[in-house]
Coordinates of all heavy atoms in Angstrom, one line a residue:
M155 N 23.6 -0.1 -4.6 CA 23.5 -0.3 -3.2 C 22.4 -1.1 -2.9 O 21.2 -0.9 -3.3 CB 23.6 1.1 -2.5 CG 23.6 0.9 -1.1 SD 23.4 2.5 -0.1 CE 25.0 3.2 -0.4
T156 N 22.6 -2.0 -1.9 CA 21.5 -2.9 -1.4 C 20.6 -2.0 -0.2 O 21.1 -1.1 0.2 CB 21.9 -4.2 -0.7 OG1 22.8 -3.8 0.4 CG2 22.8 -4.9 -1.8
S157 N 19.5 -2.6 0.0 CA 18.7 -1.9 0.9 C 18.9 -2.3 2.4 O 18.2 -1.8 3.3 CB 17.1 -2.2 0.5 OG 16.9 -3.5 0.7
G158 N 19.8 -3.2 2.6 CA 20.1 -3.7 3.9 C 19.1 -4.9 4.4 O 18.3 -5.3 3.7
I159 N 19.3 -5.3 5.5 CA 18.6 -6.3 6.1 C 17.1 -5.8 6.3 O 17.0 -4.8 7.1 CB 19.1 -6.9 7.5 CG1 20.6 -7.4 7.1 CG2 18.3 -7.9 8.1 CD1 21.4 -7.7 8.4
P160 N 16.1 -6.4 5.9 CA 14.8 -6.0 6.3 C 14.3 -6.2 7.7 O 14.8 -7.1 8.2 CB 13.9 -6.8 5.2 CG 14.7 -8.1 5.0 CD 16.0 -7.6 5.1
L161 N 13.5 -5.2 8.0 CA 12.9 -5.4 9.4 C 11.7 -6.3 9.4 O 11.0 -6.4 8.4 CB 12.5 -3.9 10.0 CG 13.7 -2.9 10.3 CD1 13.1 -1.5 10.3 CD2 14.4 -3.3 11.5
R162 N 11.4 -6.8 10.7 CA 10.3 -7.7 10.8 C 9.0 -6.9 10.5 O 9.0 -5.7 10.6 CB 10.4 -8.3 12.0 CG 10.4 -7.3 13.3 CD 10.6 -7.9 14.5 NE 9.6 -8.7 15.1 CZ 9.7 -9.6 16.2 NH1 10.8 -9.7 16.8 NH2 8.7 -10.2 16.6
D163 N 8.0 -7.6 10.0 CA 6.8 -6.9 9.5 C 5.7 -6.8 10.6 O 4.7 -6.3 10.2 CB 6.3 -7.5 8.2 CG 6.0 -8.9 8.3 OD1 6.1 -9.5 9.4 OD2 5.7 -9.5 7.3
D164 N 5.9 -7.2 11.9 CA 4.8 -7.2 12.8 C 5.0 -5.8 13.6 O 4.2 -5.6 14.6 CB 4.9 -8.3 13.7 CG 6.2 -8.5 14.4 OD1 7.3 -8.0 13.9 OD2 6.2 -9.4 15.3
F165 N 5.8 -4.9 13.2 CA 5.8 -3.6 13.9 C 5.9 -2.5 12.7 O 6.0 -2.9 11.6 CB 7.2 -3.4 14.7 CG 7.1 -4.2 16.0 CD1 7.6 -5.6 16.0 CD2 6.6 -3.7 17.0 CE1 7.6 -6.3 17.3 CE2 6.5 -4.4 18.3 CZ 7.0 -5.6 18.4
D166 N 5.7 -1.3 13.2 CA 5.8 -0.2 12.2 C 6.3 1.1 13.0 O 6.6 0.9 14.3 CB 4.6 0.2 11.7 CG 3.4 0.6 12.6 OD1 3.7 0.9 13.7 OD2 2.3 0.7 12.2
G167 N 6.6 2.1 12.3 CA 7.3 3.3 13.0 C 6.5 3.8 14.2 O 7.0 4.2 15.2
F168 N 5.2 3.8 13.9 CA 4.3 4.3 14.9 C 4.4 3.6 16.2 O 4.5 4.2 17.3 CB 2.9 4.5 14.5 CG 1.9 5.1 15.5 CD1 1.9 6.5 15.5 CD2 1.0 4.2 16.1 CE1 0.9 7.0 16.5 CE2 0.2 4.8 17.1 CZ 0.0 6.2 17.2
A169 N 4.3 2.3 16.2 CA 4.3 1.5 17.3 C 5.6 1.5 17.9 O 5.7 1.5 19.3 CB 4.0 0.1 16.8
L170 N 6.8 1.6 17.3 CA 8.1 1.8 18.0 C 8.1 3.2 18.7 O 8.8 3.2 19.7 CB 9.3 1.5 17.0 CG 9.3 0.1 16.4 CD1 10.6 0.0 15.7 CD2 9.3 -0.9 17.6
R171 N 7.6 4.1 18.0 CA 7.7 5.4 18.7 C 6.9 5.5 20.0 O 7.3 6.0 21.0 CB 7.3 6.6 17.8 CG 8.3 6.9 16.8 CD 7.9 8.1 16.0 NE 9.0 8.5 15.1 CZ 9.2 8.0 13.9 NH1 8.3 7.0 13.4 NH2 10.2 8.3 13.2
A172 N 5.7 4.8 19.9 CA 5.0 4.6 21.2 C 5.7 3.8 22.3 O 5.7 4.2 23.5 CB 3.6 3.9 20.9
L173 N 6.4 2.8 21.8 CA 7.1 2.1 22.9 C 8.3 2.8 23.5 O 8.6 2.9 24.7 CB 7.7 0.8 22.1 CG 6.8 -0.4 21.8 CD1 7.4 -1.4 21.1 CD2 6.2 -0.9 23.2
A174 N 9.0 3.7 22.6 CA 10.1 4.5 23.0 C 9.5 5.6 24.1 O 10.3 6.0 24.9 CB 10.7 5.2 21.7
K175 N 8.4 6.1 23.8 CA 7.8 7.1 24.7 C 7.5 6.6 25.9 O 7.7 7.2 27.0 CB 6.6 7.6 24.0 CG 6.0 8.8 24.8 CD 4.7 9.3 24.1 CE 4.1 10.5 24.9 NZ 3.0 11.0 24.2
G176 N 7.3 5.2 26.0 CA 6.8 4.5 27.3 C 7.9 4.1 28.1 O 7.9 3.8 29.3
T177 N 9.2 3.9 27.6 CA 10.3 3.3 28.2 C 11.0 4.4 29.1 O 11.1 5.6 28.7 CB 11.4 2.7 27.3 OG1 12.2 2.0 28.1 CG2 12.0 3.7 26.4
K178 N 11.6 3.9 30.3 CA 12.4 4.8 31.0 C 13.9 4.6 30.8 O 14.7 5.3 31.4 CB 12.2 4.4 32.6 CG 10.7 4.9 33.0 CD 10.5 4.6 34.5 CE 9.1 4.9 34.8 NZ 8.4 6.1 34.5
D179 N 14.2 3.7 29.8 CA 15.6 3.4 29.5 C 16.0 4.3 28.2 O 15.5 4.0 27.2 CB 15.8 1.9 29.1 CG 17.2 1.5 28.9 OD1 18.0 2.3 28.5 OD2 17.4 0.2 28.9
A180 N 16.9 5.2 28.4 CA 17.2 6.1 27.4 C 17.8 5.5 26.1 O 17.5 5.8 25.0 CB 18.1 7.2 27.9
A181 N 18.7 4.5 26.4 CA 19.4 3.8 25.4 C 18.3 3.0 24.4 O 18.4 2.9 23.3 CB 20.5 2.8 25.9
Q182 N 17.4 2.4 25.3 CA 16.3 1.6 24.5 C 15.5 2.5 23.6 O 15.2 2.2 22.5 CB 15.5 0.8 25.4 CG 14.4 0.1 24.7 CD 13.4 -0.8 25.6 OE1 13.1 -0.2 26.7 NE2 13.0 -1.8 25.2
A183 N 15.1 3.7 24.2 CA 14.4 4.7 23.5 C 15.1 5.1 22.2 O 14.5 5.3 21.2 CB 14.0 5.8 24.3
R184 N 16.4 5.3 22.4 CA 17.3 5.9 21.2 C 17.2 4.7 20.1 O 17.1 5.0 18.9 CB 18.6 6.1 21.7 CG 19.4 6.9 20.8 CD 20.7 7.4 21.4 NE 21.5 6.2 21.8 CZ 21.9 6.0 23.1 NH1 21.6 6.8 24.0 NH2 22.8 5.0 23.3
R185 N 17.3 3.5 20.5 CA 17.3 2.3 19.5 C 16.0 2.2 18.9 O 15.9 2.0 17.7 CB 17.6 0.9 20.2 CG 19.0 0.9 20.6 CD 19.4 -0.5 21.0 NE 18.7 -0.9 22.3 CZ 19.1 -0.8 23.4 NH1 20.2 -0.2 23.7 NH2 18.3 -1.2 24.5
L186 N 14.9 2.4 19.6 CA 13.6 2.3 19.0 C 13.3 3.4 18.1 O 12.7 3.2 17.1 CB 12.5 2.1 20.0 CG 12.5 1.0 21.0 CD1 11.6 1.1 22.2 CD2 12.2 -0.3 20.2
L187 N 13.7 4.6 18.4 CA 13.5 5.7 17.5 C 14.3 5.6 16.3 O 13.9 6.0 15.1 CB 13.9 7.0 18.3 CG 12.9 7.5 19.4 CD1 13.4 8.6 20.2 CD2 11.5 7.7 18.8
A188 N 15.5 5.1 16.4 CA 16.4 4.8 15.1 C 15.6 3.9 14.3 O 15.6 4.0 13.0 CB 17.8 4.4 15.6
L189 N 15.1 2.7 14.8 CA 14.5 1.7 14.0 C 13.2 2.3 13.4 O 12.8 1.9 12.3 CB 14.3 0.6 14.9 CG 15.5 -0.2 15.3 CD1 15.2 -1.4 16.3 CD2 16.3 -0.8 14.2
A190 N 12.5 3.1 14.2 CA 11.3 3.7 13.7 C 11.6 4.5 12.4 O 10.8 4.6 11.4 CB 10.5 4.5 14.7
E191 N 12.6 5.2 12.4 CA 13.2 6.1 11.2 C 13.3 5.1 10.1 O 12.9 5.5 8.9 CB 14.5 6.7 11.5 CG 14.8 7.8 10.6 CD 14.0 9.0 10.8 OE1 13.2 9.1 11.6 OE2 14.3 10.0 10.0
I192 N 13.9 3.9 10.3 CA 14.0 2.9 9.0 C 12.6 2.5 8.6 O 12.4 2.4 7.4 CB 14.9 1.8 9.5 CG1 16.2 2.2 9.8 CG2 14.9 0.7 8.3 CD1 17.2 1.2 10.5
Y193 N 11.7 2.1 9.5 CA 10.3 1.8 9.1 C 9.6 2.8 8.4 O 8.8 2.5 7.3 CB 9.5 1.3 10.5 CG 9.5 0.1 10.9 CD1 10.1 -0.3 12.0 CD2 9.1 -1.0 10.1 CE1 10.1 -1.6 12.6 CE2 9.1 -2.3 10.6 CZ 9.7 -2.6 11.8 OH 9.7 -3.9 12.2
D194 N 9.9 4.0 8.7 CA 9.3 5.3 8.0 C 10.0 5.5 6.6 O 9.6 6.4 5.9 CB 9.3 6.4 8.7 CG 8.3 6.3 10.0 OD1 7.5 5.5 10.0 OD2 8.5 7.1 10.9
G195 N 10.9 4.6 6.2 CA 11.5 4.7 4.8 C 12.7 5.6 4.8 O 13.2 6.0 3.6
H196 N 13.1 6.0 5.9 CA 14.4 7.0 5.8 C 15.7 6.0 5.8 O 15.5 4.8 6.0 CB 14.5 7.8 7.2 CG 13.3 8.8 7.0 ND1 13.5 10.0 6.5 CD2 12.1 8.8 7.6 CE1 12.4 10.7 6.6 NE2 11.4 9.9 7.3
S197 N 16.7 6.6 5.5 CA 18.0 5.8 5.3 C 18.6 5.3 6.7 O 18.2 5.9 7.8 CB 19.0 6.7 4.7 OG 19.5 7.6 5.5
R198 N 19.4 4.3 6.5 CA 20.1 3.8 7.7 C 21.1 4.8 8.2 O 21.3 4.8 9.4 CB 20.7 2.5 7.4 CG 19.8 1.5 6.8 CD 19.5 0.4 7.6 NE 18.4 -0.4 7.0 CZ 18.2 -1.7 7.3 NH1 18.9 -2.3 8.0 NH2 17.1 -2.2 6.7
S199 N 21.5 5.6 7.3 CA 22.4 6.8 7.8 C 21.6 7.8 8.7 O 22.1 8.3 9.8 CB 23.0 7.5 6.6 OG 23.8 6.7 5.9
D200 N 20.4 8.0 8.3 CA 19.5 8.9 9.2 C 19.3 8.2 10.6 O 19.4 8.9 11.6 CB 18.2 9.2 8.6 CG 18.3 10.1 7.4 OD1 19.4 10.8 7.2 OD2 17.3 10.0 6.5
A201 N 19.0 6.9 10.5 CA 18.8 6.2 11.9 C 20.1 6.2 12.7 O 20.1 6.4 13.9 CB 18.5 4.7 11.5
A202 N 21.2 6.0 12.1 CA 22.6 6.2 12.8 C 22.7 7.4 13.5 O 23.2 7.6 14.6 CB 23.8 5.7 11.9
R203 N 22.3 8.6 12.8 CA 22.4 10.0 13.2 C 21.6 10.0 14.4 O 22.0 10.6 15.5 CB 22.1 10.9 12.2 CG 22.2 12.4 12.6 CD 21.7 13.4 11.5 NE 20.4 13.0 11.0 CZ 19.2 13.0 11.4 NH1 19.1 13.6 12.6 NH2 18.0 12.7 10.8
I204 N 20.3 9.6 14.3 CA 19.4 9.6 15.5 C 19.8 8.9 16.7 O 19.7 9.4 17.8 CB 17.9 9.2 15.1 CG1 17.3 10.2 14.1 CG2 17.0 9.0 16.2 CD1 16.1 9.8 13.4
G205 N 20.4 7.7 16.4 CA 20.8 6.9 17.5 C 22.2 7.3 18.0 O 22.6 6.8 19.1
G206 N 22.9 8.2 17.3 CA 24.3 8.6 17.8 C 25.3 7.5 17.6 O 26.2 7.4 18.4
V207 N 25.1 6.6 16.7 CA 26.0 5.5 16.3 C 26.4 5.4 15.0 O 26.0 6.1 14.1 CB 25.3 4.1 16.9 CG1 25.0 4.1 18.4 CG2 24.0 3.9 16.0
T208 N 27.2 4.4 14.6 CA 27.6 4.1 13.3 C 26.7 3.2 12.6 O 25.8 2.6 13.2 CB 29.1 3.3 13.4 OG1 28.8 2.0 13.9 CG2 30.1 4.2 14.0
L209 N 26.8 3.1 11.3 CA 25.9 2.1 10.5 C 26.1 0.7 10.9 O 25.1 0.0 10.9 CB 26.3 2.3 9.0 CG 25.8 3.6 8.4 CD1 26.4 3.7 6.9 CD2 24.4 3.7 8.3
Q210 N 27.3 0.3 11.4 CA 27.4 -1.1 11.8 C 26.6 -1.3 13.1 O 26.0 -2.5 13.1 CB 29.0 -1.4 12.1 CG 29.1 -2.8 12.5 CD 28.9 -3.8 11.5 OE1 29.0 -3.5 10.4 NE2 28.3 -4.9 12.0
I211 N 26.6 -0.4 13.9 CA 25.7 -0.5 15.2 C 24.3 -0.6 14.8 O 23.5 -1.5 15.3 CB 26.0 0.6 16.2 CG1 27.4 0.6 16.7 CG2 25.0 0.5 17.3 CD1 27.8 -0.6 17.4
V212 N 23.8 0.2 13.8 CA 22.4 0.1 13.4 C 22.1 -1.3 12.8 O 21.0 -1.7 13.0 CB 22.1 1.2 12.3 CG1 20.7 1.0 11.7 CG2 22.2 2.5 13.0
R213 N 23.1 -1.9 12.0 CA 22.9 -3.1 11.4 C 22.7 -4.1 12.5 O 21.8 -5.0 12.5 CB 24.1 -3.5 10.7 CG 23.9 -4.9 10.0 CD 25.2 -5.2 9.2 NE 25.2 -6.3 8.5 CZ 25.5 -7.6 9.0 NH1 25.9 -7.6 10.3 NH2 25.4 -8.7 8.4
E214 N 23.5 -4.1 13.7 CA 23.5 -5.0 14.7 C 22.1 -4.8 15.4 O 21.5 -5.9 15.9 CB 24.6 -4.7 15.7 CG 25.9 -5.1 15.1 CD 27.1 -4.7 16.1 OE1 27.0 -4.3 17.1 OE2 28.3 -5.0 15.5
W215 N 21.7 -3.6 15.6 CA 20.3 -3.4 16.2 C 19.2 -4.0 15.4 O 18.3 -4.6 16.1 CB 20.1 -1.8 16.4 CG 20.9 -1.2 17.4 CD1 21.6 -1.6 18.4 CD2 20.9 0.4 17.6 NE1 22.2 -0.7 19.1 CE2 21.7 0.4 18.7 CE3 20.3 1.3 16.9 CZ2 22.0 1.9 19.0 CZ3 20.6 2.6 17.4 CH2 21.4 2.9 18.5
V216 N 19.3 -4.0 14.1 CA 18.3 -4.5 13.2 C 18.2 -6.1 13.4 O 17.3 -6.7 13.6 CB 18.4 -4.2 11.8 CG1 17.7 -5.0 10.8 CG2 18.3 -2.7 11.5
I217 N 19.4 -6.7 13.4 CA 19.4 -8.1 13.5 C 18.9 -8.5 14.9 O 18.1 -9.5 15.0 CB 21.0 -8.6 13.4 CG1 21.5 -8.4 11.9 CG2 21.1 -10.0 13.8 CD1 22.9 -8.7 11.8
R218 N 19.4 -7.8 15.9 CA 18.8 -8.1 17.3 C 17.2 -7.9 17.4 O 16.6 -8.8 18.1 CB 19.5 -7.2 18.3 CG 19.6 -7.9 19.7 CD 20.5 -7.2 20.7 NE 21.5 -6.4 20.0 CZ 22.0 -5.1 20.5 NH1 21.5 -4.7 21.7 NH2 22.9 -4.5 19.8
F219 N 16.8 -6.9 16.8 CA 15.4 -6.5 16.8 C 14.6 -7.7 16.1 O 13.5 -8.1 16.6 CB 15.2 -5.2 16.2 CG 13.7 -4.8 16.1 CD1 13.0 -4.3 17.2 CD2 13.0 -4.8 14.9 CE1 11.7 -4.1 17.2 CE2 11.7 -4.5 14.7 CZ 11.0 -4.1 15.8
N220 N 15.1 -8.0 14.9 CA 14.5 -8.9 14.2 C 14.3 -10.4 14.9 O 13.4 -11.1 14.9 CB 15.1 -9.3 12.8 CG 14.8 -8.2 11.9 OD1 13.9 -7.4 11.9 ND2 15.7 -8.1 10.8
A221 N 15.4 -10.7 15.7 CA 15.5 -11.8 16.5 C 14.7 -11.9 17.8 O 13.9 -12.9 18.2 CB 16.8 -12.4 16.8
R222 N 14.6 -10.7 18.5 CA 14.1 -10.7 19.8 C 12.8 -9.7 19.9 O 12.2 -9.7 21.1 CB 15.2 -10.4 20.9 CG 16.3 -11.4 21.0 CD 17.1 -11.2 22.1 NE 18.2 -10.4 21.6 CZ 19.3 -9.9 22.3 NH1 19.3 -10.1 23.6 NH2 20.2 -9.3 21.8
G223 N 12.8 -8.8 19.1 CA 11.7 -7.8 19.1 C 12.2 -6.7 20.0 O 13.4 -6.5 20.3
P224 N 11.3 -5.7 20.4 CA 11.7 -4.5 21.2 C 12.2 -4.8 22.5 O 12.8 -4.2 23.1 CB 10.6 -3.7 21.1 CG 9.4 -4.4 20.7 CD 9.9 -5.7 20.0

């Protein structure tokens, strides 16, 4: 099994959790927390569970995050 699309290297799990804590947008916070889980070395399945979405949606979040940032 492949490891998936890598996340950009200018962020980490701690930084994304801090951004999630500061946002008032619940959907954005959920996305950031899911991506933080990936940064911390957990599986994309774990990230999907945290985000309440499918693996395909997590993949789309990673692609969007890599292109545009948080």
Side-chain angles (χ1 to χ4, degrees):
M155 179 186 282
T156 62
S157 64
I159 299 167
L161 287 166
R162 55 194 288 168
D163 58 3
D164 55 342
F165 287 94
D166 61 12
F168 182 77
L170 290 186
R171 282 189 177 83
L173 288 171
K175 186 176 180 181
T177 187
K178 294 187 186 307
D179 183 347
Q182 182 184 29
R184 195 170 60 244
R185 286 190 299 272
L186 292 170
L187 291 173
L189 293 172
E191 191 77 359
I192 296 169
Y193 270 116
D194 291 343
H196 295 275
S197 71
R198 308 246 167 160
S199 294
D200 289 341
R203 180 186 48 77
I204 288 171
V207 296
T208 65
L209 286 172
Q210 180 62 36
I211 298 296
V212 170
R213 180 183 183 276
E214 292 170 8
W215 287 351
V216 169
I217 291 169
R218 209 172 334 145
F219 177 75
N220 284 340
R222 294 186 268 179

